[in-house]
Amino acid sequence: MIRLDNISKQNGHQILFIDASMGIQKGEKVGLVGPNGAGKTTLFRMITGQEQPDDGQVGIDAGMTIGYFSQDVGEMSGQSAVAAVMDGVGPVSALATEMAKLEAAMVDPDQADEMDAIIERYGDVQGRFEELDGYALEARAREVLAGLSFSQERMDGDVGLLSGGWKMRVALARILLMRPDGMLLDEPSNHLDLESLIWLEAFLKNYDGALLMTSHDRAFMNRIIGKVVEIDGGSLITYSGDLDFYEQQRALTEKQRQAQFERQQAMLAKEIKFIERFKARASHAAQVQSRVKKLDKIERVEAPRRRQSVQFEFRAPARSGDDVLNLRNVHKSYGSQSIYSGLDFLVRRKERWCVLGANGAGKSTLLKLVAGASAPDQGTVTVGASVKMGYFAQHSMDLLDGEETIFESLDSSFPQAGQGALRTLAGCFGFSGDDVEKPCRVLSGGEKARLVMAKMLFDPPNLLVLDEPTNHLDMATKEMLVAALADFEGTMLFVSHDRHFLAALSNRVLELTPEGVHRYDGGYSEYVARTGQEAPGLHPGG
């Protein structure tokens, strides 16, 4: 269905691909992996024809439709989310938009004189909408949006008023509704909550076309893909199996290549020693010549490239009192919507609570109340003795000074720390060498999140309050963060949609549901085993 044959591609001075090849058949679900900047997005753009390879061929079966979801969402406004989703399927959306305008005109007293013409036009438009099976399509569009956690109100509201994250969901829903023959999904799991993620997982499992996707979410990838294509030093290497299998195979191949390299180096050293020793002796001239020729012909084995991963190590935080947080009879509403009425919640030292709940259940609200970023309408939130809190919120990244470089930003937070200590800290969070001279305004979402995290963890608090800390983080940084937080000696309260993060770090679960608040001893894995569901109100495969 999709083939890349011996493609080469260079961006400026950077060579992305050299004689690289891969293929995807109908029904195959493939994960695309490689370090940041390796060329994953360029590969997608070559398949869709937005970019051309410098050399080689991109082949797509005749008549094949391809849907491409990228992080770059175009301008959307002036229509409802439902209409914007139906847009991807053709003229049905324009008819739906016109029907909505005509319906508004019918009840507008200022247009009473033109009512006959409006009703006649409405009849024509509605007839054409029915011919194109518009009502069935609209129902499917609503189903997809509901799966991505849209309320009815949000579906019918102006898409232009939505935040960037919700616009991303609209763009994703548009591709899913198309059901094209091939789907290219670049980080579809970003900006999704746990419920939407699990729904999308089920949707993609049932999709019967060709799928090529990237994602920083390990559990999500593992459950969908059956094949991995890795971009490695300009080549495309295909592995059968999921992400875990790929990593085992890759480690094995790297070990074999290292052994092969070391064997060859030993042999070369021995030959060179012989040549050096006997090159001045006439009696050995023939042997020396023959060995020199042999060395010239040998194909050199390259040493495997080491994937650098730096580990961040916590300094032990000062000990807090045993009662870290106490919420008593907390009430909180937004307008007419009551979020909490009489919540009691005690957090003790070394507990690691993950907070689960459907969209709008009050997860972020709870964290804001604890951090003092929001006040309860009634009741008390008490922070215990000797508690030093670190709060990571989604808006934390907006508080960075855009004109400061990464190094200046760290230095202004920790003026007492030496340059060496700050450079080491930056390196642990993926900023090595000249990276620290980048101004904050040019950083990506992932880089900003890493910088905020570095600042928070350098002088460690003994209570971490984290709201979706893994959004934007790549897999390597996520693994580093999980490893670091596993050794953290303080207390944690966090919200995350990353199941690996939830399972690795929680030892308590607070579940917020419309029926009330439930507490579970044991972490996320025990919660899933006990309830048979991965998120409140969701059942396996549902």
Side-chain angles (χ1 to χ4, degrees), residues 60-103:
I60 311 287
D61 282 2
M64 179 179 179
T65 53
I66 290 184
Y68 173 37
F69 170 76
S70 75
Q71 294 295 303
D72 186 14
V73 175
E75 187 45 49
M76 294 182 191
S77 63
Q79 56 186 162
S80 69
V82 172
V85 169
M86 288 160 64
D87 239 4
V89 189
V92 173
S93 157
L95 294 170
T97 304
E98 191 177 350
M99 275 167 61
K101 283 181 181 160
L102 291 166
E103 282 163 8

Side-chain angles (χ1 to χ4, degrees), residues 99-286:
M99 275 167 61
K101 283 181 181 160
L102 291 166
E103 282 163 8
M106 284 183 203
V107 293
D108 181 357
D110 294 344
Q111 299 190 49
D113 298 351
E114 299 147 55
M115 197 52 67
D116 289 348
I118 290 170
I119 290 170
E120 188 181 341
R121 177 64 188 155
Y122 185 76
D124 294 343
V125 173
Q126 189 181 33
R128 181 77 185 117
F129 187 72
E130 282 175 351
E131 270 173 42
L132 291 172
D133 212 7
Y135 286 111
L137 188 68
E138 183 174 339
R140 274 178 48 216
R142 287 182 182 277
E143 195 182 315
V144 170
L145 284 169
L148 295 174
S149 298
F150 275 74
S151 61
Q152 292 299 327
E153 195 181 338
R154 202 170 247 152
M155 288 181 203
D156 293 317
D158 183 347
V159 73
L161 303 176
L162 297 175
S163 69
W166 285 99
K167 281 180 180 162
M168 288 270 187
R169 295 186 194 209
V170 170
L172 177 59
R174 193 181 273 180
I175 307 290
L176 301 181
L177 184 68
M178 270 172 72
R179 284 230 167 209
D181 303 320
M183 270 200 249
L184 310 178
L185 303 181
D186 194 0
E187 294 294 347
S189 51
N190 271 5
H191 303 285
L192 295 186
D193 53 42
L194 189 55
E195 295 72 35
S196 307
L197 206 53
I198 293 164
W199 177 86
L200 179 59
E201 204 172 87
F203 185 98
L204 293 176
K205 277 182 185 168
N206 292 324
Y207 168 65
D208 55 7
L211 173 66
L212 180 67
M213 64 183 247
T214 64
S215 173
H216 293 327
D217 190 311
R218 170 180 291 278
F220 178 71
M221 279 272 257
N222 266 341
R223 293 177 188 208
I224 295 167
I225 63 172
K227 190 168 158 181
V228 172
V229 170
E230 179 190 36
I231 304 176
D232 185 18
S235 297
L236 289 168
I237 305 165
T238 302
Y239 296 81
S240 291
D242 64 9
L243 214 52
D244 291 344
F245 179 76
Y246 145 74
E247 284 180 348
Q248 288 164 8
Q249 287 299 110
R250 195 181 192 291
L252 194 64
T253 307
E254 211 163 82
K255 201 173 167 185
Q256 288 165 346
R257 206 189 297 173
Q258 183 66 30
Q260 206 181 345
F261 171 73
E262 285 168 7
R263 276 199 304 275
Q264 190 181 65
Q265 290 297 306
M267 183 273 289
L268 292 174
K270 194 174 163 188
E271 292 293 318
I272 289 164
K273 194 174 173 187
F274 179 90
I275 292 165
E276 288 299 317
R277 189 172 164 199
F278 293 111
K279 67 183 176 188
R281 296 190 194 176
S283 59
H284 286 73

Side-chain angles (χ1 to χ4, degrees), residues 497-512:
H497 66 244
D498 188 290
R499 283 161 287 179
H500 175 54
F501 192 87
L502 288 167
L505 296 174
S506 59
N507 61 20
R508 298 279 188 286
V509 175
L510 185 74
E511 181 189 48
L512 309 176

